Amino acid sequence: MSIIEIKNLTKIYDGSGFEVKAVNGINLSFEKGEFAAIVGPSGSGKTTLLNMLGGLDHPTSGEVIVDGQNIWKLKSRKLTDFRLYNIGFVFQAYNLIPVLTAKENVEFIMHLQGRSKKERDSRTRELMQAVGLEERMNSRPSKLSGGQQQRVAVARALASKPKFILADEPTANLDSKSTETLLDIMEHLNKEEDITFIFSTHDARVVKKARRVITIEDGKVKSDEVR
Amino acid sequence: MIFSISWRNIWRNKVRSLVIITAVALGICAGVFSTAFMKGMMDQRIRQAISTEISHIQIHRQGYRQESSLQLYMNESPAVVEQIKKINHVKGASQRIIIQSMVSSAETSSGVKIAGIYPENEQNVTNLSTKIVEGKYFEGVPRNPVVIGKKLAEKLNVKLHSKIVITLQDMDKNITAGAFRIAGLFETPNSTYDKMSVFVRYNDLSRLLNLPEGASHEIAILVDDNEMVSSVQDEVKALVADYEVLNWKEISPEMGYITEVMDMYMYIFIIIILLALLFGIINTMLMVILERVKEIGMLLAVGMNKLRVFTMIVVETVQLSLVGGVAGMVVGSLISKYFETHAINLSRWAKGYSQLGYDTMVYCNLESEMIINITILVILTGIIAAIYPAYKALKYDPAEALRME
């Protein structure tokens, strides 16, 4: 059964005197536990599609249905809560809160969800262990390498126990070794916790690991390959 | 966690935060000190006016204060004074004969207010006896002693033990005069009062005026506790129902207004300081928001709602303002506390100050109520300063903010 269904999704940006169709009538669906990569050249519409999927960028038309609910029908506040409880985000530039330690960054989302300290502590420890950074729990992001920061970001994305994780070019700023480690961790979490991962990427190493590869060009799905 | 993030955010750019914290601290320090200084000066003026000039409560016959007529005297005032002295919290009571008259020396003359007093009673009501700078308080002159202000002596060009003549109209409306010899010269911080006030013995003046025995125009009462003035006034009113019984604020309304007006001025002064600082804080917070657009985008994206983002910015701004505010208040309070016991010498401007009745040695007076109110104002400033930057932050769309470099 699909957990995400995208129906005729379109995003048009208004330029001065012209229109840009970043996403042009895309139809897709994702099953629970998928490890999917959305690939395509720069400007093909990957990030826009991911943003609309994550409730960040309002589509011009079309629907994003998660568990039977069109998320773009939700009011702004409900949509924010929807993101908090259902979606984990991993960004290209890590985007950790610089004044918080790795542990606090992971805890932060659970704090927003109003979870108890005991629950926060145990989940944070478990996730930091899963991403192999138990020893660096009390380090601030500035004291961590790019790869380590992205692993913390993955732990943070998982902390809220989301239905799926959206990762926008998560390896773009990482070296080969860090990329390899991060992908192994995400693959492991995908299998162990049955979490759905959807990446936007043009990194061949990510594409290689993905079990489904959706290619986008000029805002349209060019191919959709399940391995 | 929001408090913790906000607090740590302040120290992300230490130099920038310290610049605005220092500005707030200096402003509040100046505000606290100026307020304590002005409050001290006003309190001294009021204390001085009460202890030297007007006392806490005065009793007159109805209409006397409007007409100042010699005929409007009160009868049997010694008995009234004795009864008043028995009231709880009354420190002293003294009856006075008050007339407006002319005092002359060999060289010149001057219009003055003459008070006929019982020196021993007056000592319990006013501090005139402690203000004697030359001679003695009604001593050293066997007949018709007079105590005048040093400033008046200079004006009349007379010295201690010189003779002066008081010319007045008696009860029968005859012009009469009496020669008095200066027993003492007094000096108060109020030079106008010193030039206008002359004190003689009750009996000497009463004889000159042909007043009936026991008659007086004024009974002045000093209370041992400022808070008890009103209750003592009520008891006195019950005792002398036919007379006008007024407290110091009613006798000299401008004195009563001084505190209120000064408090208002001080708050206006502090608000002006805070207004100036407000724009500095807004500027700093706008820079902060501009620097953290991407971070704000991330917070909104992961599910931090706008109210929480708003609260985080407000808390950070209030904390930033409070750090400076508290530092300013501590330093300002310490300075003010030091000058509560060490007078600030304003003698360079003494002439102007003493003509207005102010002491040239000012002791600060720092009130805890003032500190509480300034703290509230600083918090309010922080909240107001946060509104526009927070509003700017909330205008960002998460996707758009995340794209910004």
Side-chain angles (χ1 to χ4, degrees):
Chain A
M1 185 196 152
S2 59
I3 59 162
I4 309 167
E5 231 178 304
I6 299 170
K7 287 183 182 170
N8 202 23
L9 203 62
T10 302
K11 177 74 182 179
I12 301 170
Y13 290 108
D14 279 330
S16 39
F18 60 93
E19 285 182 344
V20 177
K21 276 194 175 175
V23 172
N24 190 1
I26 287 182
N27 291 293
L28 282 170
S29 65
F30 295 90
E31 304 293 320
K32 185 167 169 57
E34 278 201 41
F35 201 66
I38 300 170
V39 298
S42 289
S44 56
K46 314 184 288 291
T47 301
T48 306
L49 175 62
L50 220 61
N51 282 345
M52 288 193 288
L53 205 51
L56 298 177
D57 223 349
H58 208 287
T60 310
S61 64
E63 293 175 354
V64 176
I65 298 163
V66 178
D67 278 349
Q69 183 178 33
N70 182 0
I71 65 167
W72 286 108
K73 285 265 156 85
L74 295 171
K75 290 231 158 53
S76 169
R77 177 138 194 178
K78 289 266 182 203
L79 185 60
T80 307
D81 282 347
F82 178 84
R83 288 199 298 266
L84 178 62
Y85 289 96
N86 297 286
I87 312 173
F89 289 93
V90 179
F91 305 99
Q92 181 182 335
Y94 330 131
N95 288 9
L96 298 175
I97 301 171
V99 293
L100 299 183
T101 62
K103 176 180 178 280
E104 289 167 335
N105 264 288
V106 176
E107 262 190 318
F108 179 68
I109 301 285
M110 291 184 277
H111 188 86
L112 292 180
Q113 289 180 321
R115 299 225 206 138
S116 71
K117 189 172 182 328
K118 196 178 161 192
E119 199 182 347
R120 291 199 311 256
D121 281 347
S122 79
R123 178 83 176 147
T124 305
R125 199 162 290 280
E126 181 190 316
L127 287 168
M128 290 303 280
Q129 212 168 9
V131 297
L133 286 172
E134 208 186 2
E135 304 296 313
R136 306 301 306 271
M137 286 222 293
N138 295 315
S139 301
R140 289 217 181 162
S142 58
K143 301 285 175 202
L144 300 173
S145 69
Q148 287 172 328
Q149 285 189 56
Q150 199 61 303
R151 276 145 67 188
V152 175
V154 170
R156 178 181 66 184
L158 284 161
S160 62
K161 295 188 175 166
K163 287 198 172 79
F164 57 96
I165 287 180
L166 298 175
D168 185 16
E169 311 218 18
T171 58
N173 294 345
L174 303 183
D175 57 37
S176 306
K177 197 165 177 290
S178 300
T179 300
E180 196 66 35
T181 314
L182 184 76
L183 287 171
D184 285 344
I185 289 167
M186 290 201 284
E187 196 174 25
H188 174 77
L189 288 166
N190 167 251
K191 283 177 183 162
E192 287 296 306
E193 299 211 7
D194 201 21
I195 301 257
T196 310
F197 276 84
I198 303 168
F199 307 92
S200 81
T201 186
H202 48 230
D203 186 336
R205 294 163 298 187
V206 181
V207 178
K208 202 174 143 194
K209 287 260 182 192
R211 293 197 296 277
R212 180 181 174 191
V213 178
I214 301 156
T215 309
I216 291 185
E217 255 183 42
D218 298 329
K220 289 182 174 171
V221 176
K222 193 184 169 197
S223 67
D224 187 351
E225 177 195 350
V226 179
R227 294 165 175 174
Chain B
M1 195 167 236
I2 282 178
F3 280 82
S4 168
I5 295 174
S6 301
W7 177 251
R8 291 186 207 177
N9 273 338
I10 291 175
W11 307 108
R12 274 165 84 164
N13 190 329
K14 286 194 182 73
V15 175
R16 185 176 57 203
S17 294
L18 283 173
V19 166
I20 194 71
I21 285 168
T22 309
V24 174
L26 284 174
I28 296 297
C29 175
V32 168
F33 174 70
S34 312
T35 309
F37 174 79
M38 293 303 285
K39 186 83 183 151
M41 201 155 98
M42 295 310 139
D43 285 357
Q44 270 174 263
R45 171 72 190 108
I46 291 168
R47 269 200 307 275
Q48 191 264 329
I50 290 171
S51 60
T52 310
E53 301 163 31
I54 49 182
S55 315
H56 281 125
I57 298 165
Q58 288 184 4
I59 309 171
H60 303 101
R61 204 166 132 181
Q62 301 289 353
Y64 172 79
R65 276 169 28 90
Q66 288 74 38
E67 293 176 34
S68 296
S69 165
L70 183 63
Q71 273 71 23
L72 288 172
Y73 56 81
M74 298 177 286
N75 288 314
E76 295 171 0
S77 50
V80 176
V81 165
E82 286 314 309
Q83 280 179 293
I84 289 169
K85 281 180 181 172
K86 287 178 191 158
I87 296 173
N88 239 348
H89 294 291
V90 169
K91 201 174 169 192
S94 176
Q95 74 256 47
R96 299 164 177 166
I97 300 166
I98 307 281
I99 55 160
Q100 307 293 330
S101 178
M102 182 74 82
V103 60
S104 315
S105 67
E107 285 185 27
T108 184
S109 57
S110 181
V112 292
K113 180 177 152 184
I114 298 174
I117 57 167
Y118 285 103
E120 58 282 8
N121 274 358
E122 196 69 20
Q123 267 179 301
N124 296 325
V125 177
T126 63
N127 61 2
L128 181 69
S129 61
T130 65
K131 301 289 178 188
I132 302 292
V133 289
E134 274 183 59
K136 286 185 176 172
Y137 181 64
F138 292 100
E139 284 177 26
V141 174
R143 273 193 77 232
N144 284 0
V146 62
V147 171
I148 66 169
K150 200 178 171 196
K151 289 276 188 304
L152 179 61
E154 283 165 9
K155 191 178 172 189
L156 296 172
N157 200 14
V158 290
K159 291 187 290 191
L160 191 67
H161 299 146
S162 293
K163 196 165 81 174
I164 56 170
V165 173
I166 294 172
T167 309
L168 43 80
Q169 199 178 41
D170 66 13
M171 285 291 285
D172 306 319
K173 305 216 170 175
N174 297 318
I175 299 293
T176 181
F180 289 77
R181 202 168 287 279
I182 299 170
L185 300 176
F186 66 84
E187 191 169 19
T188 70
N190 187 346
S191 60
T192 309
Y193 178 78
D194 293 359
K195 274 183 205 162
M196 295 293 297
S197 306
V198 168
F199 295 89
V200 296
R201 279 184 170 147
Y202 176 92
N203 291 335
D204 297 340
L205 190 59
S206 171
R207 195 173 52 245
L208 261 181
L209 290 166
N210 274 333
L211 269 177
E213 202 181 324
S216 69
H217 298 108
E218 182 173 287
I219 296 173
I221 303 162
L222 193 71
V223 176
D224 61 8
D225 181 353
N226 281 337
E227 304 295 317
M228 303 309 296
V229 171
S230 164
S231 70
V232 171
Q233 185 185 8
D234 290 342
E235 285 190 59
V236 174
K237 272 182 183 169
L239 199 69
V240 287
D242 295 341
Y243 297 148
E244 185 182 49
V245 180
L246 301 174
N247 66 37
W248 64 273
K249 282 186 184 174
E250 293 161 333
I251 298 159
S252 180
E254 70 279 5
M255 283 290 154
Y257 296 146
I258 279 181
T259 323
E260 288 166 34
V261 170
M262 268 305 140
D263 278 354
M264 196 182 72
Y265 279 164
M266 284 303 104
Y267 284 118
I268 290 172
F269 180 57
I270 297 272
I271 288 168
I272 290 170
I273 292 176
L274 287 172
L275 261 180
L277 293 170
L278 179 84
F279 290 96
I281 301 168
I282 291 174
N283 185 45
T284 301
M285 289 313 291
L286 281 175
M287 281 195 277
V288 164
I289 299 302
L290 211 65
E291 264 177 23
R292 294 189 207 150
V293 172
K294 207 163 181 166
E295 196 175 312
I296 290 163
M298 180 276 292
L299 293 172
L300 293 168
V302 299
M304 190 169 185
N305 63 44
K306 290 191 170 183
L307 181 65
R308 277 182 159 144
V309 175
F310 183 85
T311 308
M312 188 178 77
I313 294 163
V314 171
V315 169
E316 183 175 337
T317 318
V318 171
Q319 284 173 339
L320 184 74
S321 316
L322 263 183
V323 172
V326 168
M329 271 185 275
V330 168
V331 177
S333 302
L334 288 174
I335 295 171
S336 305
K337 280 277 165 201
Y338 176 81
F339 286 111
E340 273 186 1
T341 49
H342 299 77
I344 299 166
N345 190 347
L346 299 177
S347 52
R348 209 173 145 193
W349 301 277
K351 204 174 172 192
Y353 277 107
S354 63
Q355 273 175 359
L356 290 168
Y358 292 98
D359 206 331
T360 54
M361 301 296 277
V362 178
Y363 293 89
C364 289
N365 180 10
L366 185 68
E367 287 183 335
S368 52
E369 187 195 335
M370 197 191 299
I371 297 285
I372 293 165
N373 290 341
I374 292 174
T375 309
I376 293 168
L377 284 173
V378 169
I379 293 171
L380 277 177
T381 306
I383 293 170
I384 295 167
I387 289 172
Y388 182 62
Y391 169 76
K392 287 275 282 183
L394 296 184
K395 291 282 277 182
Y396 289 115
D397 173 67
E400 181 197 339
L402 280 165
R403 275 196 291 269
M404 285 191 186
E405 286 305 322

